[in-house]
Amino acid sequence: MKKNRLVNYIPYMIVTLFLLILFNMNSTSSTKSLSYGELIKTIEEQKIEESVVTVGSNIVEVQGSYKAEQGNTIVFTSKIPATEEQIDNIIDLLSESNINIVDANSKSVWIDLLSSIVPFIIISGFILFMFNKMGGQGSNAKAFEFSKSRARLEGNIKVKFSDVAGADEEKVEMAEIIEYLKYPKKFAKMGARIPKGILLVGPPGTGKTLLAKAVAGEADVPFYSISGSDFVEMFVGVGASRVRDMFKKAQQTSPCMIFIDEIDAVGRQRGAGFGGGHDEREQTLNQLLVEMDGIQDNTGIVIIAATNRPDVLDPALLRPGRFDRQITVSLPDRRGRREILQVHARNKKLDTEIDLDALAKRTPGFSGADLENVLNEAAILAVREKSDVIHMSQLDESIDRVLMGPAKKSRTYDEKTKKLVAYHESGHAVIGLFLEDSTVVQKVTIIPRGMAGGYNLMTPKDEKMMNTKNDLLASITGYMGGRTAEEIFFDDISTGAVNDIERATNIARDMVTLYGMSDLGPIKYDAGNQNVFLGRDYNSPANVSGQIAFEIDQEIRKIIDGCHKHARTILEDHKDELIMLAEALMEYETLTAEQIERVVKGESIAEDFIKTNGNKEPVKEEKKVEEVKETAEIKEEVKVEETKEARGCDR
């Protein structure tokens, strides 16, 4: 490493030496060298201002200066034999000037040498310092290191497999690679060839990079890490040069591992650039393909890459011999979420009453990064509230913050809007309670969060690998619950169901075009909601005719209308329960799953909120359930009569 650094300074040293030679030539050219006769003539004709006579054993050196007619100072020097007559003659001639007689034998040779070298050393050091500042270590301005690999050799990685939870199968696959790097002869004896490349695929936040770091922590081999964006530059050929340099360094330290994060930045399909290709990225990809499985044999080098867009990668990159093994790091199940929570709760002060199993049950669809964020938000809330430990209420609030954002308690409702939101959210909750294949209501609130005026936290009864048609129809019916409740109790509709309608429509469209769950039969008419790769999918032709497109719209409408009618039937059959839930929401604003069940059964929940508020009185005086039901029924009867009269007038 030091040798390479010295080589980089050689051009600067050559330039500095050249400048010093020019400076020395310039300084010596301004001094005139005179013979003995010219010296005598100059002393007699010119007025010598200052002179130095250095008397040696054999030679006398005379130096002096005088003013020329042009006004500039001329320095002269002359060497004459050291005879007594000539020395006396020169001293007499220079007696009128400021003469200084020096004995040459008394001068130190080292002092003269240092006096002539030190200025050059100072100047050279200053120039090297300036060059070092302009192109220092880590700067992109280094012309000689621009095409070098940006891969960093990681050391002292403390992440182990014990820090990776919810990915047991993935750890088994990666442990096999570590064993090969430590004991390659065991695999060679069996005739097995270890995969050269391992591609980690999965949604963001599932722990792909963490898993790669754990491999580095477990393996006792050099580990290089680099991002896919570190290869690509604006100059064509730089990325390919960096790939070559990276594999060259890896070969010198093999067996070793290389981790490429976000490989889709450099490994996208060739020839798929919108409006033309991308020569730099394609050349970099070509070089990567050659290095992984080309003419040269890079044995002992294992490459781990991570991406969440495997659909855009070039097919040549995924063939056997390059990325032989593709490991999907999916979202964790309930058991995996509990293990992840245990890992991230090691340094957290949790209350002894906190049940991580219940917390894992309430967080379906959460990635490892989401769960870590939930515990971190809860810890921040505990510090904010000056708690000694993290309580379940803070974890509950942190889940809401991760899902929907912080509560906007400063945003107040008027009574009409508050009632509408309460009935809307109660409509969703009642569908979840009384529809067999629907999800389970865990929490319902009318406190605004993000862009939502309120929301229901609903989780599946059992986590499934796939959904049935009844499951999807139940989901659509649940989304229709809020809008249907508005229609039943207010004879009006609001914009609050916009997100519900969007989700329900997407599910219905997928049922028709992707899953074959309609009268059109098991035919795929659409690619679903997958991400579009512009260079590949921009000019792709539509695969349905106009008639089929019309029939698809008809089937989607049929599914939505059927679920809408089903939701209306359920809500009308359980109108009393919905009214009690809405009244409780208007009074307490937030209800948990246990409180919802008690409200539906007609039990009082006032004690829960008195305990929560620190033995204070609840926000409003608790009404009896029978009185609430009676008042709501009277209001409903009056409202129905008014609606009938209004409709009769319209006719």
Side-chain angles (χ1 to χ4, degrees), residues 205 266 273 286 306 317 604:
V266 68
N286 291 337
L317 197 63
S604 173

Side-chain angles (χ1 to χ4, degrees), residues 255-272:
C256 66
M257 303 180 69
I258 299 175
F259 174 61
I260 305 176
D261 197 10
E262 304 295 344
I263 194 174
D264 53 280
V266 68
R268 293 192 177 188
Q269 294 182 15
R270 290 167 290 182

Side-chain angles (χ1 to χ4, degrees), residues 487-488 490-492 568 640-651:
E487 295 172 353
I488 293 175
F490 295 92
D491 196 23
D492 196 3
R568 190 178 189 91
V640 170
E641 293 297 329
E642 292 177 351
T643 303
K644 289 180 179 178
E645 292 178 2
R647 289 178 179 174
C649 294
D650 291 340
R651 294 191 186 95

Side-chain angles (χ1 to χ4, degrees), residues 234-247:
M234 65 178 294
F235 302 109
V236 178
V238 173
S241 177
R242 289 177 178 175
V243 171
R244 288 191 295 269
D245 187 66
M246 180 181 68
F247 277 89

Side-chain angles (χ1 to χ4, degrees), residues 287-301:
Q287 188 63 42
L288 182 61
L289 296 175
V290 171
E291 294 290 344
M292 289 190 68
D293 187 22
I295 299 175
Q296 296 181 351
D297 187 15
N298 291 318
T299 55
I301 301 176

Side-chain angles (χ1 to χ4, degrees), residues 130-407:
M130 295 303 297
F131 277 128
N132 189 32
K133 277 293 183 182
M134 290 187 292
Q137 186 177 3
S139 173
N140 290 330
K142 281 191 175 182
F144 294 95
E145 294 187 3
F146 187 71
S147 61
K148 298 295 183 181
S149 171
R150 301 291 180 87
R152 297 172 296 277
L153 181 60
E154 300 286 346
N156 194 22
I157 298 178
K158 298 180 180 179
V159 181
K160 304 294 182 181
F161 274 167
S162 58
D163 300 318
V164 181
D168 297 336
E169 294 81 3
E170 292 82 354
K171 287 193 289 186
V172 171
E173 298 290 334
M174 303 304 290
E176 190 176 74
I177 303 300
I178 298 172
E179 188 176 4
Y180 164 75
L181 292 171
K182 290 183 176 180
Y183 312 106
K185 293 183 179 180
K186 182 190 301 185
F187 292 83
K189 183 179 180 181
M190 191 61 63
R193 179 183 62 82
I194 204 69
K196 289 187 177 180
I198 299 173
L199 184 64
L200 301 178
V201 178
T206 51
K208 299 183 292 296
T209 304
L210 182 66
L211 187 60
K213 287 184 177 180
V215 172
E218 295 286 347
D220 190 18
V221 294
F223 186 86
Y224 297 90
S225 65
I226 190 172
S227 174
S229 59
D230 287 335
F231 291 108
V232 183
E233 292 285 351
M234 65 178 294
F235 302 109
V236 178
V238 173
S241 177
R242 289 177 178 175
V243 171
R244 288 191 295 269
D245 187 66
M246 180 181 68
F247 277 89
K248 182 179 179 182
K249 290 180 179 178
Q251 286 176 352
Q252 295 172 355
T253 58
S254 64
C256 66
M257 303 180 69
I258 299 175
F259 174 61
I260 305 176
D261 197 10
E262 304 295 344
I263 194 174
D264 53 280
V266 68
R268 293 192 177 188
Q269 294 182 15
R270 290 167 290 182
F274 180 65
H278 194 295
D279 291 337
E280 164 62 359
R281 185 171 60 235
E282 291 187 3
Q283 284 198 20
T284 305
L285 175 59
N286 291 337
Q287 188 63 42
L288 182 61
L289 296 175
V290 171
E291 294 290 344
M292 289 190 68
D293 187 22
I295 299 175
Q296 296 181 351
D297 187 15
N298 291 318
T299 55
I301 301 176
V302 176
I303 301 177
I304 303 175
T307 181
N308 52 16
R309 289 296 307 273
D311 56 303
V312 304
L313 295 180
D314 194 271
L317 197 63
L318 303 177
R319 75 161 177 82
R322 290 183 178 132
F323 282 103
D324 306 76
R325 184 174 296 177
Q326 183 170 320
I327 299 176
T328 301
V329 186
S330 56
L331 293 172
D333 56 7
R334 180 177 174 180
R335 184 178 62 85
R337 291 195 298 274
R338 186 185 186 283
E339 293 175 356
I340 293 173
L341 289 170
Q342 286 179 335
V343 169
H344 292 297
R346 291 173 181 172
N347 61 339
K348 304 289 191 305
K349 294 182 178 180
L350 299 180
D351 189 6
T352 54
E353 297 180 356
I354 289 179
D355 185 6
L356 294 181
D357 284 328
L359 193 62
K361 185 179 179 180
R362 293 183 54 189
T363 52
F366 277 47
S367 65
D370 293 331
L371 295 172
E372 192 275 336
N373 196 22
V374 166
L375 291 178
N376 185 61
E377 288 288 343
I380 293 174
L381 289 173
V383 174
R384 183 184 301 175
E385 297 173 5
K386 299 180 180 179
S387 301
D388 296 330
V389 293
I390 299 174
H391 298 285
M392 193 63 197
S393 60
Q394 292 156 349
L395 284 171
D396 183 68
E397 173 66 17
S398 66
I399 293 175
D400 295 341
R401 292 171 71 90
V402 171
L403 285 173
M404 306 292 294

Side-chain angles (χ1 to χ4, degrees), residues 411-527:
R411 184 189 296 176
T412 57
Y413 292 125
D414 56 75
E415 286 300 320
K416 181 179 179 181
T417 304
K418 185 176 183 179
K419 184 176 181 180
L420 188 145
V421 173
Y423 275 83
H424 179 104
E425 299 302 333
S426 298
H428 290 302
V430 169
I431 296 293
L433 288 173
F434 297 103
L435 185 58
E436 182 179 356
D437 296 316
S438 181
T439 52
V440 180
V441 181
Q442 297 290 344
K443 180 180 179 181
V444 59
T445 179
I446 60 173
I447 298 176
R449 288 182 182 273
M451 298 300 294
Y455 84 98
N456 276 265
L457 178 61
M458 307 179 76
T459 60
K461 297 177 183 177
D462 299 307
E463 296 186 26
K464 303 177 181 179
M465 290 288 294
M466 60 187 70
N467 293 318
T468 64
K469 182 178 180 179
N470 289 333
D471 293 335
L472 298 177
L473 291 175
S475 297
I476 298 175
T477 305
Y479 286 129
M480 291 290 105
R483 168 59 65 89
T484 307
E486 295 177 9
E487 295 172 353
I488 293 175
F489 291 95
F490 295 92
D491 196 23
D492 196 3
I493 55 177
S494 70
T495 60
V498 57
N499 193 30
D500 301 330
I501 295 173
E502 180 184 0
R503 293 184 179 183
T505 305
N506 289 336
I507 295 175
R509 182 173 295 277
D510 287 342
M511 290 176 65
V512 176
T513 62
L514 195 61
Y515 306 139
M517 296 179 178
S518 69
D519 294 338
L520 295 181
I523 301 175
K524 180 181 177 181
Y525 294 105
D526 196 2

